[in-house]
Amino acid sequence: MMPSPSNPSLLLINPWIYDFAAYDFFARPLGLLHLAGFLESCGFEITLLDCLGAPAVRSGAFGTGRFPKVILPTPPPLHGLPRRYGRYGISESEFRNRLARLPEPAAILVTSLMTYWYPGVAAAIAIARQYFPRTPVILGGIYATLCPDHARGQAGADIVIQGHGDKACLSYLADFTGIKVKPDDESGDFDVLPRPPLHLLPHLPFIPLLTSRGCPFQCDYCASRLLQPRFAARRPQAVVEELLHWQDSLGLMDVAFYDDALLYQADSHLLVILEELARRGRNFRFHTPNAVHARFITLEVARWLKRSRFATLRLGVETTSTGLARLDRKLAAGELEEALAHLKEAGFAKREIGVYLLEGLPEQDDRDLEASIRRVHALGATPVLAQYSPIPGTALWPTAVAASRYNLEADPIFHNPSIFPCWPEFSWERVTRLKRLAQGE
Ligand code: B12
Ligand code: SF4
């Protein structure tokens, strides 16, 4: 690898999604933006190229919508599936035009999200290399963290960094540029890290926000602990200041929380944030696409959620069945019922309360899922099916590997939840029947 010129400019890339289905449900590259903020504060000049930064082809509510899609050949390991594979985001020619206009950066930093989206990561890196063949490429993010060996072998980056990666990045950048930077604060404290530079995003109808990292629970199917071993919350005041800053500078009102455990210790965290915003007379509208814990919804919490205009509310539940050995550790019998009663008393309507139910788990019996769907309807909430993605390193992984019709260990492309890798076969009839039931038909 050749050292780069002394220009300390960095190119950060959020790659395309390659998948059978993808919807922009409050999705923004917040991890890459956090890294951008940190590197900017260390004196680097940042250019962000967001492959998903295309205006939606069909707009949904609150800035959500359909990504533009170009159909691509289905990857060989998935041949035969009755679904259309494609690339979501900006066109390849737009990506190339943007690269062609850029000066040579000192390094290219690429993020990654879902493990099974790695073909989009590899495609973006391969194209970027055509324009900057001498520039080192560093890959980080969720796929890089969960599947580091695969990423090292297949993604085409020079370096793969697991985890937050900010300090590791600095040390590699020092090697490439000769510029040694010592951050002002080396504690890694969430609150002293610079704000993510949201203004770098080309299309931003809402504020993506992280008020805490990690989760105090450890559900069998979830990667939260692998990505963030300890739960850590920001100071409520710092969160308030960040929200006011973005509202004042970008004029935004909608906020999407990316937290895994937003309602954990709500009395000293979320409620303090909401009270302070109310005290200052600031109006926001909130969304929890990543789900909140039902067990933390007391009547007081429910009233604050209503008063503060939580417009997209999703509860993470998995299944309402008490007969099955439960895979998650976050909900005990009766807690969902209680939470829904509180939300209703606070004034939430059925359509406003989405309850995620996991579909496609290994050894899952449809009758159990159907019973869960009916139960959620009966409790006056809206069931939302979330397809299960097997993740290496989770407690459920060995069961998923044993149950799958694919060799899950051979290729992360098989982690794709929309192929239902742990069903004996893909069945539109089964998918449609469960979907209709969830829609109340
Ligand atoms: C928010 C979130 C979403 C959001 C959208 C997120 C987005 N940005 O687009 C929504 C709600 C839409 C979503 C949807 C889904 N999600 Co999700 N989601 C998350 C969540 C909670 C946080 C991701 C995030 O943005 N974190 C915030 C940023 C700050 O962190 P980060 O990206 O990791 O970045 C840090 C580091 O990785 C690193 N880093 C990042 N980039 C780079 C680059 C370099 C060069 C370096 C050095 C470092 C670096 O630095 C950052 C700062 O610390 C994760 C779980 C988790 N705790 O991470 C699950 C997670 C990623 N989701 C998951 C799943 C399963 C899904 C769904 C499939 C669920 C479903 N069945 O519907 C869908 C799929 C979406 C789709 N098809 O479009 C899985 C991953 C599965 C997989 N195989 O990879 C996770 C891990 C949760 C889990 N169950 O374990 N998700
Ligand atoms: S409660 Fe949610 S975020 Fe926490 S471990 Fe379980 S599924 Fe993951």
Side-chain angles (χ1 to χ4, degrees):
M1 212 177 348
M2 295 276 293
S4 287
S6 57
N7 175 9
S9 78
L10 304 174
L11 170 60
L12 271 59
I13 300 180
N14 181 34
W16 290 289
I17 293 173
Y18 277 40
D19 204 335
F20 294 100
Y23 187 81
D24 179 0
F25 189 54
F26 301 104
R28 290 297 178 278
L30 191 55
L32 193 64
L33 287 165
H34 273 279
L35 188 66
F38 172 74
L39 293 171
E40 247 178 7
S41 75
C42 295
F44 291 96
E45 214 178 277
I46 306 291
T47 301
L48 181 82
L49 221 167
D50 183 5
C51 293
L52 298 181
V57 282
R58 194 157 2 122
S59 300
F62 314 120
T64 60
R66 274 181 201 281
F67 292 115
K69 178 176 184 180
V70 171
I71 304 293
L72 297 176
T74 301
L78 299 178
H79 273 168
L81 270 171
R83 305 207 62 166
R84 290 199 298 175
Y85 197 71
R87 180 179 59 228
Y88 294 84
I90 63 173
S91 65
E92 184 179 324
S93 57
E94 185 177 344
F95 186 56
R96 286 182 179 278
N97 289 340
R98 296 273 314 271
L99 289 168
R101 290 200 300 267
L102 289 176
E104 185 179 41
I108 299 175
L109 282 75
V110 182
T111 192
S112 59
L113 201 65
M114 306 298 153
T115 54
Y116 48 90
W117 288 348
Y118 76 83
V121 173
I125 292 177
I127 295 175
R129 280 200 186 282
Q130 293 171 12
Y131 293 81
F132 306 116
R134 296 183 311 152
T135 308
V137 177
I138 306 179
L139 173 65
I142 291 174
Y143 156 63
T145 303
L146 295 176
C147 304
D149 294 337
H150 186 273
R152 283 187 190 104
Q154 303 296 322
D158 298 299
I159 290 148
V160 171
I161 296 181
Q162 291 178 264
H164 300 306
D166 36 13
K167 290 197 192 94
C169 237
L170 274 191
S171 108
Y172 285 115
L173 291 175
D175 292 346
F176 302 147
T177 63
I179 300 172
K180 290 203 171 45
V181 189
K182 217 168 139 39
D184 292 341
D185 182 284
E186 294 199 82
S187 64
D189 179 349
F190 214 173
D191 278 325
V192 294
L193 288 173
R195 286 190 188 118
L198 298 186
H199 56 273
L200 294 181
L201 289 176
H203 169 61
L204 189 69
F206 59 88
I207 303 168
L209 183 71
L210 203 56
T211 80
S212 63
R213 281 182 179 147
C215 176
F217 300 103
Q218 198 167 0
C219 299
D220 287 3
Y221 50 85
C222 177
S224 184
R225 280 283 164 108
L226 303 169
L227 297 165
Q228 176 66 40
R230 276 180 311 283
F231 177 81
R234 291 171 62 184
R235 280 185 303 109
Q237 198 54 37
V239 176
V240 169
E241 296 309 329
E242 180 173 341
L243 282 173
L244 298 184
H245 170 82
W246 292 125
Q247 184 160 77
D248 292 342
S249 56
L250 300 176
L252 295 171
M253 186 175 68
D254 286 287
V255 179
F257 290 106
Y258 281 12
D259 299 48
D260 275 334
L262 180 66
L263 298 184
Y264 183 54
Q265 299 172 333
D267 284 350
S268 56
H269 188 67
L270 184 68
L271 298 195
V272 180
I273 296 169
L274 299 179
E275 275 172 37
E276 181 60 11
L277 292 174
R279 196 185 65 76
R280 299 215 195 174
R282 291 304 192 101
N283 277 327
F284 287 91
R285 192 166 47 198
F286 296 103
H287 311 276
T288 63
N290 189 40
V292 293
H293 292 93
R295 70 156 47 159
F296 298 134
I297 302 183
T298 60
L299 186 55
E300 191 197 7
V301 168
R303 286 192 169 133
W304 269 109
L305 298 183
K306 189 65 192 167
R307 197 178 307 158
S308 316
R309 300 206 302 158
F310 274 67
T312 312
L313 192 60
R314 295 276 198 272
L315 314 188
V317 167
E318 184 227 325
T319 167
T320 66
S321 163
T322 45
L324 274 186
R326 295 188 60 85
L327 302 168
D328 60 0
R329 314 267 175 251
K330 60 181 180 273
L331 202 63
E335 287 179 340
L336 175 64
E337 289 74 1
E338 218 171 290
L340 293 177
H342 293 325
L343 288 171
K344 268 192 253 164
E345 191 171 341
F348 282 95
K350 174 175 180 173
R351 66 180 159 71
E352 293 177 299
I353 313 168
V355 172
Y356 282 133
L357 296 172
L358 270 178
E359 177 186 32
L361 287 162
E363 300 162 6
Q364 188 177 31
D365 186 335
D366 279 5
R367 282 169 302 185
D368 174 58
L369 181 54
E370 286 162 15
S372 297
I373 294 171
R374 291 201 180 91
R375 181 96 187 101
V376 172
H377 277 306
L379 289 169
T382 305
V384 181
L385 298 181
Q387 291 76 30
Y388 165 66
S389 169
I391 304 176
T394 56
L396 196 58
W397 174 250
T399 314
V401 170
S404 181
R405 64 186 190 278
Y406 297 111
N407 181 356
L408 291 186
E409 285 167 313
D411 192 336
I413 204 138
F414 301 133
H415 306 172
N416 191 325
S418 48
I419 65 173
F420 294 89
C422 295
W423 278 0
E425 60 180 357
F426 180 85
S427 155
W428 272 122
E429 187 276 321
R430 197 172 169 187
V431 173
T432 312
R433 183 170 46 78
L434 291 165
K435 189 171 165 188
R436 290 215 172 115
L437 193 62
Q439 289 169 340
E441 291 173 17

